[in-house]
Amino acid sequence: MPALDGPVARWRDEIRRIEDLGFSSVSISDHLTGGWAMDPLVAMTVAAEATTRLRVSAMVFCNDFRHPVLLHKSLANLDVFSGGRVEVGLGAGWLRDDHDAAGLPFDPPGVRVERLSESIEVLLGLFGDKPVSFAGRHYQVAGLDGLPKPVQRPHPPLLVGGGSRRILELAGRRADIVGINPRLAPDVDPLAAVDEMSPERFARKVAWAREAAVAAGRDPGALEFQLRMFDVRVVHRGVEHQASSSHARLADPAALASSPSVLHGSVDECVDRLLAIRERYGVNYLHLGGNLDAAAPIVARLAGR
C-alpha cells in the first residue's frame, strides 16, 4: 500500500490505480515504531471499500499485538463487508523495537512461534461452523462461536511467513500460503539476510514446508508459495525503475545476482525469470515492491500466465 503521507483522497486514488493496473492484492506491514503510521486493519478496510476486486492483506500481522479472538472478529467482519476479499497474513513478530516501545515482552523465538501456533488454531477454529473451546499455554477460549461466518469457506486464505525451519514447518502444516523469507532477527546481519535467500537455501526452505505438509497428511501440491522481491530493477521503455529494500541496498552484488528474491533486467527478462522461479520452486504469489512503475509492466505481461 502507498504511505499515508498526503491527502487521504490521493491515497484512495493510488489504491484504485493498483487495482486498475491488474494487481491481485495489496498488502501492508504491521509495525509500531520507525515512523509507521497506518494500522493494518483500518488500512485494509479503507482499501477494500475504495475498490471492487482487489484483495487486501497484512504482510504480516504481528501475532503478539492482537489476541486471536479479537483479530478473528475484525477479519471475519471485513471478509463479509468486502465480499470475500480478505487474506490473513500472520507471523510471530521479529522487530524487537516494536515490542520494547509498547512494553511487550520479546520472548525467545521458540515461545513466539509456539504462541503463533496456538493463535492459528484459535483463528481457524473460529472461522469454522462450531463453537470453539481451546486450552493452550498462551490462549484459552471457552465455547465461543466465531461470528460472523466469513464469505470465503472454510476460511479466508491464511499466509504464514518466516525464515526459520520452525516457522516454515508450521506454515506447511497449517497455512494455505507459505511466505518464504530470510530469517529476520536482531542478531542477523543484513548481508546475511540476503545471502540466506540463495538458490540452495531458498530451495531448502520450500522443502521444509512441503515435508511438514506431507507429515501432517496434507497435499504439498496444494500449498501456494509467496516471495517478496528484495531488489527490483526493471528497464521499461529505456528507463530503469527500482524498488529496493534496506537489506538489498547493503548486500553483496554477487548475492544479489544469484538470489531468487532479486529481479533485474528488461520486462521480458523479468517475466521469464519469474516464470522460471515458479517452475523451479512453485512460487506463484509475488510481492514486487512498492514502485508501481517497476512492477506494473511485469504484471501486465504476466496476466493469465
Side-chain angles (χ1 to χ4, degrees), residues 203-284:
R204 184 166 58 198
K205 290 173 186 284
V206 170
W208 288 337
R210 285 181 170 149
E211 290 164 2
V214 172
R218 305 181 72 197
D219 176 8
L223 292 176
E224 290 192 67
F225 287 92
Q226 183 266 348
L227 170 63
R228 176 193 174 185
M229 289 295 165
F230 278 80
D231 192 59
V232 178
R233 303 177 196 173
V234 182
V235 177
H236 182 49
R237 295 176 179 171
V239 178
E240 183 179 79
H241 304 281
Q242 299 185 17
S244 297
S245 72
S246 58
H247 296 287
R249 287 192 290 269
L250 294 171
D252 180 75
L256 288 178
S258 62
S259 174
S261 61
V262 171
L263 195 61
H264 295 168
S266 67
V267 174
D268 285 340
E269 288 170 335
C270 290
V271 166
D272 289 343
R273 179 168 173 78
L274 294 179
L275 293 173
I277 289 172
R278 183 178 67 181
E279 180 67 24
R280 179 173 179 182
Y281 304 105
V283 172
N284 59 349

Side-chain angles (χ1 to χ4, degrees), residues 132-186:
V132 173
S133 293
F134 182 86
R137 177 183 174 188
H138 304 280
Y139 303 110
Q140 295 79 42
V141 179
L144 180 61
D145 191 9
L147 297 173
K149 299 306 178 185
V151 172
Q152 300 178 90
R153 307 297 298 182
H155 54 77
L158 172 65
L159 181 151
V160 174
S164 70
R165 180 168 188 164
R166 192 176 317 176
I167 197 79
L168 290 169
E169 288 180 339
L170 171 60
R173 291 193 301 270
R174 300 301 285 145
D176 304 293
I177 307 165
V178 179
I180 304 293
N181 300 315
R183 190 173 70 89
L184 297 175

Side-chain angles (χ1 to χ4, degrees), residues 26-145:
V26 66
S27 67
I28 183 169
S29 297
D30 187 17
H31 294 297
L32 304 175
T33 57
W36 195 256
M38 289 191 291
D39 172 80
L41 285 166
V42 174
M44 288 167 64
T45 301
V46 177
E49 191 70 11
T51 56
T52 59
R53 177 192 55 79
L54 197 67
R55 299 179 66 79
V56 294
S57 176
M59 197 68 73
V60 291
F61 286 111
C62 175
N63 183 61
D64 285 353
F65 295 168
R66 299 167 189 83
H67 193 286
V69 167
L70 299 180
L71 182 60
H72 163 268
K73 179 66 74 174
S74 297
L75 292 173
N77 271 264
L78 183 52
D79 198 59
V80 170
F81 280 116
S82 68
R85 290 189 282 139
V86 168
E87 294 175 358
V88 183
L90 197 59
W94 64 274
L95 187 60
R96 181 170 194 137
D97 288 352
D98 287 340
H99 287 69
D100 290 346
L104 298 171
F106 191 68
D107 291 319
V111 176
R112 283 182 281 123
V113 174
E114 180 185 65
R115 188 158 50 237
L116 172 63
S117 179
E118 289 191 11
S119 181
I120 289 171
E121 295 306 312
V122 172
L123 271 172
L124 295 183
L126 290 171
F127 280 125
D129 295 323
K130 299 178 180 179
V132 173
S133 293
F134 182 86
R137 177 183 174 188
H138 304 280
Y139 303 110
Q140 295 79 42
V141 179
L144 180 61
D145 191 9

